[in-house]
């Protein structure tokens, strides 16, 4: 199953799926979904985003608002879950998960984010709000958990 919808000027959509029972949905502009494996699910809502999933049972959801939002998500392995919501301007995010059973849930309204998880059963909950937040984060091994919150000063 694939679904694509776009509106506005210079909208681009690309979906490539190899395997069985993969789902892909793109709404908005400049979205790309590449899936290789079985039972993967990927969704992109708006702005420049790329989801690449290799393996089985992975789920990725990106939702971006604001005029400079951009996100790249790569998952390799099985049963990995990533959910990222970006809101505001000048946003950027890169998420890399390798292994099995990794979870990333994030809300990112800052600049220059990067999160990487290597191993199995890792989890990361990320919240950035305000202007000028920067995050470079890595978890390596198995069974790691982290909760990170950054808020701009009043």
């Amino acid at each position: 199953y694939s679904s694509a919808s776009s509106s506005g000027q210079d909208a681009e959509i690309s979906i490539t799926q190899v395997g069985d029972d993969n789902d892909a949905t793109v709404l908005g502009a400049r979205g790309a979904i590449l899936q290789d494996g079985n039972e993967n699910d990927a969704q992109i809502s708006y702005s420049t985003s790329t989801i690449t999933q290799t393996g089985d049972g992975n789920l990725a959801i990106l939702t971006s608002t604001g005029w400079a939002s951009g996100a790249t998500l790569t998952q390799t392995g099985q049963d990995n879950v990533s959910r990222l919501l970006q809101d505001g301007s000048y946003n950027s995010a890169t998420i890399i998960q390798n292994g099995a059973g990794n979870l990333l849930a994030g809300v990112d309204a800052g600049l220059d984010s990067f999160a990487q998880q290597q191993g199995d059963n890792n989890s990361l909950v990320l919240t950035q709000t305000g202007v000028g937040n920067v995050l470079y984060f890595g978890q390596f091994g198995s069974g790691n958990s982290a909760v990170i919150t950054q808020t701009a000063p009043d």
Side-chain angles (χ1 to χ4, degrees), residues 5 18 55:
S5 174
V18 177

Side-chain angles (χ1 to χ4, degrees), residues 1-8 11-15 24-33 44-47:
Y1 171 77
S2 295
S3 175
S5 174
S6 67
S7 63
E12 297 178 21
I13 296 174
S14 174
I15 298 174
T25 303
V26 178
L27 304 171
R30 298 182 193 260
I33 296 175
I44 298 175
S45 292
Y46 181 77
S47 195

